[in-house]
Amino acid sequence: MISIKRIGKRMLMSLLFLGALTTTYEAISGVEAEDVVHWYTHDYSNSSESSDQDNEDNDDTFRFLGLTFKSMKSEPTVGTQISSSVEASNRNVSLEDAFDWSKYPAKKVVATGYTAGVESTGKKPDHPSYGITYSGVKVKRDLYSTVAADINVFPIGTILFIPEYGYGVVADIGGAIKGNRLDLYYETVEDVYNNWGKKQLDVYVIKMGDGTLTEEQLERLNNDESMQVFRQKYLKNKTKS
């Protein structure tokens, strides 16, 4: 007759094997290992008719298994895989689709493109205020770009979301930019013609400005950690073009 000790040893090995399988299943399905241990404990306690000493041995066995599960769960691979998949999915989403823009006030505008060059501003690169906007900040094409507006409609510092362009921060004015008109900054004339031209569209007012804008504020917007996935996507596409 097989001794109780031998039965206990075989049961321990079986449970260790099941524990390894359970941990693997947890990594795939998200089911907690502790739930599986609890199920085994409950099932075994209902069917066990062994002595008090055997019960103590079984308690030790399950305590050992609990520690084994915790050790297995400390491996970082599952978390890394989940994080990577979330980041990858964000990379495949455009700004237009990433947020619910309908919760922001919409304004229909006519938007054109401009550069810092002589064709738009009459200034050459050697001009002392070349590339300097009305607000005092330098023109910038980034995740948050500088745009020109009628400051009676959109005060300096107003943040807009402009579909197919991105975020625009009102930093400049223009002689022809009156009423519901915008001028969107691009680095070259070719970019203006190839990427924009002239469009009538709804823009979304994220935040109304207070009449001021600094380089620090613009940099802080572009360096917002939560938006870097979208910024890196923009910079990558910019490099390709």
Side-chain angles (χ1 to χ4, degrees), residues 44-179:
Y44 182 74
S45 63
N46 286 340
S47 62
S48 175
E49 298 178 356
S50 58
S51 65
D52 292 341
Q53 182 61 45
D54 291 336
N55 287 332
E56 291 178 5
D57 292 339
N58 289 330
D59 289 340
D60 291 339
T61 297
F62 288 116
R63 278 196 292 272
F64 174 77
L65 285 173
L67 291 173
T68 303
F69 283 129
K70 289 181 180 179
S71 175
M72 290 176 176
K73 287 182 67 179
S74 67
E75 295 298 323
T77 52
V78 175
T80 302
Q81 291 170 354
I82 293 173
S83 175
S84 298
S85 62
V86 169
E87 185 176 349
S89 98
N90 282 342
R91 285 202 187 100
N92 295 327
V93 176
S94 67
L95 271 173
E96 282 78 3
D97 297 327
F99 304 100
D100 179 13
W101 301 110
S102 65
K103 68 181 182 179
Y104 298 102
K107 190 85 168 178
K108 189 171 291 294
V109 302
V110 173
T112 51
Y114 82 107
T115 71
V118 64
E119 64 284 334
S120 296
T121 66
K123 300 173 184 176
K124 296 181 179 180
D126 59 353
H127 192 285
S129 56
Y130 178 84
I132 305 299
T133 66
Y134 177 78
S135 67
V137 305
K138 296 179 181 178
V139 290
K140 179 180 285 290
R141 182 72 177 107
D142 207 321
L143 181 65
Y144 287 82
S145 305
T146 54
V147 301
D150 184 338
I151 57 177
N152 293 311
V153 179
F154 299 120
I156 296 294
T158 297
I159 301 174
L160 305 170
F161 179 73
I162 306 157
E164 299 180 46
Y165 180 78
Y167 288 103
V169 184
V170 177
D172 214 350
I173 60 175
I177 308 302
K178 300 298 182 184

